[in-house]
Amino acid sequence: MDADLKLKLLTEHHHDQKGGMKTMPFIIVNEGFEKIASYGLQYNMIFYLMEVYHMEAVPASTVMYIWSALSTGLSVFGALISDSYLGRFRVIAFGSLFSFLGVTLLWLTSMVPQFTPSSCHEPETNCSPPTPTQLGYLFSCLGLISIGSGCMGPCAIAFGADQFQHHNNQRLIYSFFNWYYATASISTLVGSTVLVYIQDQFGWQVGFVVPAMFMFCSTLMFMLGSSLYVKVEVDESPYSGFIQVLMLAFKNRKIRLLPDDRYNRSNQGDRVELTDNLRFLNKACVVRDTNNDYSGILTVEKVESLKSLIRIIPVWSSGILVFVNVVQSFPTIQAAKMNRNITSWLEIPAASFSMFALLSLTIFIALYDRILIPFLAKCTHEPRGLLPKTRMGMGIITSIVAMVVAAIVEHTRCSLANSNQMVNMSAMWLVPQFVLTGITEALNSIGQMEFYYSELPKSMASSAMTIFTVGMTIAALVASLLTNIVDSVTSLGGGVSWLSSDIDVGHVDYYYWLLSFLNLLCFFYYLLCCRMHRSFSLQESRLIVS
């Protein structure tokens, strides 16, 4: 038997022994425990910064926004590194180790007094701000956690799907997706409730060691399954073609396109028509060599893939302000100032109120999938119920309503606080804005994902999550910039900032009104973007018909 054939058969048999359902406990536990640890830290971290590091509300919120942006932004680089250089297994392994190291070092800030400034509540101590060394150590811990999240987030679900590529059983893949998303939801809920409760009741020392233990178990479980995994070899980066198109189009910028020009087309997959939109990019695939030498000339498919990405950018940009509303930290500070007792013995931690957004998101998705889609499909003859752009627009409207409700509730709470009376307002009044925020995510976020998948070519289907993640990253940075601008402008001349750390003397309600107004402008911008996109689509349809 030919040696190459023997090697191929042995390799296929070796792969058949790997992967499958036996690897799922290791992958799901790794991802689930990582989410419990990360969300258990994220929701309460603003209070840690304000109480232990003596930060004001705006600087603490800025740190949270930048930390969120870094975590989501690094997921793009995590995906690129895994697809182009190291592979998914190595990237997830490195990410698990980085997260464990970051959480462990963060726990030491609650154990070693030298890592934090002196307490303002202890006698004979100076309430001094943190030193640059202490801040540097803190930011290093948060940076390590962000690197870990950026490595694990984009690779986990794809690595799980890799385990079934040699089994040819689509049902197993769907089963894994169901377990994966169920685990993600449950883990997020546990992190935002149980771990937050432990931090509030037992202090930061216990509250930080528990996430460190979860990350240790997460890393250990993933490593234990190493010999069972299917580890897909690294392929060419899917994004390298975009750079090639731009470089070659710029190189051929002096070429004048003619009606009878020929273009380099791929012989694989479905035929893709070259469009007249963004016509200057067509110079990257035009063939001018009389000897039919296509070397160094890109294909029509690569050019049209880049065009598809550019065409969705305006619609994508309209969702940034929606995420600015979602990542707000001030509702947590509001909850801390309100009556959070459900019964005489049960009090909801302030940071756990975000669970209402998560619950409304989950419940709305279930109702939409099982009840609304069948009903709407009969009325609109659209199998998806609502078109993606319709869902996105409805999400922006819901976001506006959420900020209006938030402004009204905060105005009421602030009025009671300013009247020299004890604020005995129930924090359950915050639930409607959290519920509306969850519905906003269910409408706009999932609508974005459906829109990207429907607009991008099949070869770029995996890019949809990356585009969505970049939007979340920019939203966190915009939220940080906006809060700092509002704080600086409203405190000019010695006035009290709208976003004062003492929200009883500030005007967070004015800030919510500002966000609602900006989202209203964003809605009109979104309508303009939809009209532009529709005109592009009509031009493409006419080209295909012709």
Side-chain angles (χ1 to χ4, degrees), residues 39-51:
Y39 281 103
L41 293 172
Q42 177 181 344
Y43 287 113
N44 234 7
M45 183 58 65
I46 189 169
F47 292 122
Y48 188 67
L49 297 176
M50 295 175 68
E51 295 172 6

Side-chain angles (χ1 to χ4, degrees), residues 93-357:
F94 287 139
S96 300
L97 292 172
F98 275 115
S99 289
F100 171 63
L101 180 61
V103 175
T104 303
L105 294 177
L106 182 64
W107 168 59
L108 291 180
T109 62
S110 65
M111 298 293 294
V112 182
Q114 288 77 13
F115 289 156
T116 56
S118 58
S119 174
C120 296
H121 303 291
E122 296 180 2
E124 299 181 358
T125 58
N126 294 323
C127 187
S128 58
T131 64
T133 303
Q134 291 169 342
L135 287 177
Y137 182 85
L138 172 67
F139 295 155
S140 298
C141 299
L142 300 181
L144 289 172
I145 297 173
S146 294
I147 293 173
S149 298
C151 290
M152 298 175 66
C155 300
I157 191 168
F159 184 71
D162 289 343
Q163 308 310 308
F164 300 102
Q165 66 174 5
H166 298 291
H167 291 73
N168 297 321
N169 191 331
Q170 198 70 21
R171 184 185 64 83
L172 292 179
I173 297 180
Y174 290 149
S175 178
F176 164 68
F177 287 159
N178 292 333
W179 278 104
Y180 179 87
Y181 284 112
T183 302
S185 299
I186 295 172
S187 301
T188 303
L189 189 60
V190 171
S192 62
T193 54
V194 177
L195 287 192
V196 168
Y197 179 80
I198 291 174
Q199 291 164 4
D200 285 356
Q201 295 298 316
F202 301 101
W204 300 113
Q205 294 181 358
V206 177
F208 282 173
V209 75
V210 174
M213 293 171 61
F214 271 107
M215 274 313 308
F216 174 77
C217 295
S218 172
T219 306
L220 180 63
M221 281 294 291
F222 186 75
M223 295 302 185
L224 288 176
S226 176
S227 61
L228 303 176
Y229 299 140
V230 172
K231 301 169 185 175
V232 179
E233 295 181 1
V234 176
D235 201 355
E236 180 185 3
S237 172
Y239 304 100
S240 60
F242 298 158
I243 300 175
Q244 293 173 357
V245 170
L246 292 173
M247 293 179 63
L248 193 55
F250 178 77
K251 180 181 178 181
N252 298 338
R253 63 188 181 279
K254 296 183 180 180
I255 292 179
R256 184 177 181 182
L257 297 177
L258 303 174
D260 58 346
D261 277 333
R262 291 178 301 163
Y263 298 94
N264 186 20
R265 301 182 182 276
S266 173
N267 295 324
Q268 300 178 353
D270 299 331
R271 180 181 177 86
V272 176
E273 296 293 338
L274 189 66
T275 63
D276 286 333
N277 296 325
L278 304 172
R279 185 176 172 80
F280 68 94
L281 294 177
N282 295 355
K283 297 177 181 180
C285 60
V286 65
V287 179
R288 290 291 174 85
D289 195 321
T290 56
N291 296 323
N292 294 330
D293 182 10
Y294 291 179
S295 61
I297 303 175
L298 300 179
T299 61
V300 169
E301 287 73 17
K302 284 189 176 182
V303 172
E304 285 301 313
S305 294
L306 179 58
K307 287 184 180 182
S308 299
L309 181 62
I310 295 175
R311 281 193 294 266
I312 66 174
I313 287 178
V315 178
W316 161 83
S317 64
S318 66
I320 292 176
L321 270 179
V322 175
F323 286 121
V324 170
N325 296 350
V326 172
V327 300
Q328 290 299 315
S329 301
F330 292 100
T332 304
I333 302 177
Q334 290 176 258
K337 288 279 191 175
M338 302 172 75
N339 181 7
R340 293 174 276 112
N341 289 313
I342 301 300
T343 64
S344 58
W345 53 271
L346 178 61
E347 182 182 63
I348 301 179
S352 294
F353 272 81
S354 56
M355 71 178 178
F356 292 107

Side-chain angles (χ1 to χ4, degrees), residues 33 64 93 98 230 275 347 380 422 428 435:
F33 281 8
M64 294 298 297
F98 275 115
V230 172
T275 63
E347 182 182 63
T380 62
M422 180 178 294
M428 299 305 291
V435 171

Side-chain angles (χ1 to χ4, degrees), residues 430-500:
L430 297 173
V431 172
Q433 72 190 62
F434 280 106
V435 171
L436 288 170
T437 300
I439 296 175
T440 297
E441 284 196 79
L443 288 170
N444 190 269
S445 301
I446 298 179
Q448 284 190 53
M449 295 296 296
E450 290 183 357
F451 175 72
Y452 302 149
Y453 276 113
S454 62
E455 292 296 321
L456 295 174
K458 293 180 180 179
S459 60
M460 292 179 61
S462 61
S463 302
M465 190 63 190
T466 302
I467 297 169
F468 181 77
T469 301
V470 172
M472 296 178 63
T473 303
I474 296 177
L477 295 176
V478 171
S480 172
L481 178 63
L482 186 61
T483 53
N484 280 276
I485 291 175
V486 171
D487 179 60
S488 299
V489 172
T490 57
S491 60
L492 288 175
V496 178
S497 169
W498 289 0
L499 306 179
S500 171

Side-chain angles (χ1 to χ4, degrees), residues 349-543:
S352 294
F353 272 81
S354 56
M355 71 178 178
F356 292 107
L358 178 63
L359 290 173
S360 66
L361 168 66
T362 306
I363 294 172
F364 183 85
I365 290 175
L367 292 175
Y368 182 82
D369 185 64
R370 296 299 178 182
I371 298 176
L372 292 179
I373 285 183
F375 173 75
L376 293 172
K378 293 179 181 179
C379 300
T380 62
H381 304 289
E382 169 61 40
R384 293 171 291 186
L386 295 173
L387 292 173
K389 287 192 288 188
T390 304
R391 290 188 68 174
M392 293 168 64
M394 293 176 63
I396 297 176
I397 294 174
T398 309
S399 178
I400 298 171
V401 177
M403 288 298 99
V404 170
V405 171
I408 294 173
V409 171
E410 173 58 14
H411 176 75
T412 305
R413 189 207 65 80
C414 199
S415 298
L416 294 175
N418 288 336
S419 59
N420 295 323
Q421 299 177 9
M422 180 178 294
V423 181
N424 195 26
M425 184 176 180
S426 173
M428 299 305 291
W429 283 102
L430 297 173
V431 172
Q433 72 190 62
F434 280 106
V435 171
L436 288 170
T437 300
I439 296 175
T440 297
E441 284 196 79
L443 288 170
N444 190 269
S445 301
I446 298 179
Q448 284 190 53
M449 295 296 296
E450 290 183 357
F451 175 72
Y452 302 149
Y453 276 113
S454 62
E455 292 296 321
L456 295 174
K458 293 180 180 179
S459 60
M460 292 179 61
S462 61
S463 302
M465 190 63 190
T466 302
I467 297 169
F468 181 77
T469 301
V470 172
M472 296 178 63
T473 303
I474 296 177
L477 295 176
V478 171
S480 172
L481 178 63
L482 186 61
T483 53
N484 280 276
I485 291 175
V486 171
D487 179 60
S488 299
V489 172
T490 57
S491 60
L492 288 175
V496 178
S497 169
W498 289 0
L499 306 179
S500 171
S501 296
D502 185 0
I503 61 173
D504 292 340
V505 299
H507 279 289
V508 178
D509 54 334
Y510 293 173
Y511 178 62
Y512 288 151
W513 283 117
L514 174 63
L515 286 177
S516 62
F517 176 72
L518 292 177
N519 276 266
L520 180 61
L521 296 180
C522 178
F523 178 71
F524 291 115
Y525 168 71
Y526 173 74
L527 295 179
L528 178 62
C529 293
C530 288
R531 186 170 183 176
M532 291 172 54
H533 183 268
R534 184 172 179 271
S535 65
F536 283 143
S537 300
L538 290 176
Q539 291 178 25
E540 292 179 15
S541 299
R542 286 194 291 268
L543 178 62

